[in-house]
Amino acid sequence: MPKINGNEIRPGNVLEHNGGLWAAVKVDHVKPGKGGAFAQVEMRNLRNGSKLNERFRSADKVEKVRLEQKDQQFLYEDAGMLVLMDTQTYDQVQLSAELLGERRPFLQDGMMVVVEYHEDEALNASLPQKVTCKIVETEPVVKGQTAANSFKPAILDNGVKVMVPPFVGQDEDIIVNTETMEYSERA
């Protein structure tokens, strides 16, 4: 694994630090009036989700880890485990549904998921950025209600509540951003 200087750490980098794998979430470069400059790094543990704030001077060396990304197709869920298939080798793997966290309801049959591996351990999974969902319950559309900043609550077919513009009605398909979990546009 390549070693990088403490001042080369960027958000999104995965580092091996204190025997764990950490993702740099936020990096602030600080130049105090006295003493040398340093990088204040907020990190999240990829295995258990805990957070850590650490200072790295430019002379400090840190192991930068490269995660292998694999496109895998979601097949089904069984007892809290997601069954995914590698599209190159057709091997099936089981991963914990906890890997997706609050984005889990947006997972649909046959959807392609990008899974990040370190050696043979799955550390992260990400869904496509935009997913099409159907609105099953919302207030009726009121003619002439076109205020730009007004939103109304809606319940999607996967049980998730989102805020939608007033012109969107029940049984309509909408596109939801899976990162922000917000309405994006009509489908």
Side-chain angles (χ1 to χ4, degrees):
M1 286 181 283
K3 284 194 178 266
I4 60 171
N5 292 336
N7 61 349
E8 295 174 357
I9 298 171
R10 302 284 174 261
N13 286 1
V14 177
L15 311 170
E16 189 167 321
H17 180 67
N18 290 347
L21 288 175
W22 301 83
V25 177
K26 191 173 163 189
V27 180
D28 289 324
H29 293 281
V30 181
K31 295 177 186 154
K34 223 178 192 183
F38 60 87
Q40 180 74 35
V41 182
E42 183 181 317
M43 301 185 292
R44 183 178 52 83
N45 189 310
L46 292 175
R47 291 191 174 106
N48 62 21
S50 63
K51 290 199 171 186
L52 173 71
N53 277 313
E54 196 74 51
R55 287 182 176 184
F56 294 100
R57 302 217 171 271
S58 60
D60 295 343
K61 297 281 188 197
V62 186
E63 295 272 342
K64 183 177 177 187
V65 178
R66 286 215 181 272
L67 297 181
E68 182 184 359
Q69 293 187 336
K70 290 184 181 177
D71 287 337
Q72 299 188 323
Q73 185 176 16
F74 172 65
L75 300 176
Y76 60 92
E77 185 172 357
D78 183 35
M81 299 297 283
L82 305 176
V83 178
L84 302 163
M85 179 181 67
D86 190 316
T87 53
Q88 256 82 60
T89 62
Y90 300 105
D91 291 338
Q92 290 186 10
V93 293
Q94 285 193 337
L95 302 175
S96 171
E98 309 268 317
L99 220 50
L100 288 173
E102 62 186 20
R103 297 180 316 268
R104 165 61 194 99
F106 292 106
L107 187 62
Q108 299 167 354
D109 288 342
M111 184 179 276
M112 294 304 290
V113 178
V114 177
V115 182
E116 292 181 323
Y117 287 92
H118 177 254
E119 293 162 359
D120 287 334
E121 180 185 7
L123 295 173
N124 194 12
S126 56
L127 298 175
Q129 187 175 358
K130 295 189 175 180
V131 174
T132 303
C133 297
K134 184 182 224 57
I135 296 177
V136 293
E137 187 181 316
T138 189
E139 298 167 10
V141 175
V142 178
K143 290 255 186 254
Q145 197 174 32
T146 58
N149 292 352
S150 67
F151 282 86
K152 62 183 180 181
I155 299 175
L156 303 176
D157 54 0
N158 57 11
V160 175
K161 287 184 179 179
V162 295
M163 299 300 283
V164 297
F167 57 81
V168 177
Q170 193 163 317
D171 297 326
E172 279 191 58
D173 287 338
I174 62 168
I175 296 176
V176 178
N177 184 326
T178 57
E179 291 171 6
T180 61
M181 295 181 68
E182 293 175 345
Y183 167 86
S184 180
E185 59 189 300
R186 274 183 167 162

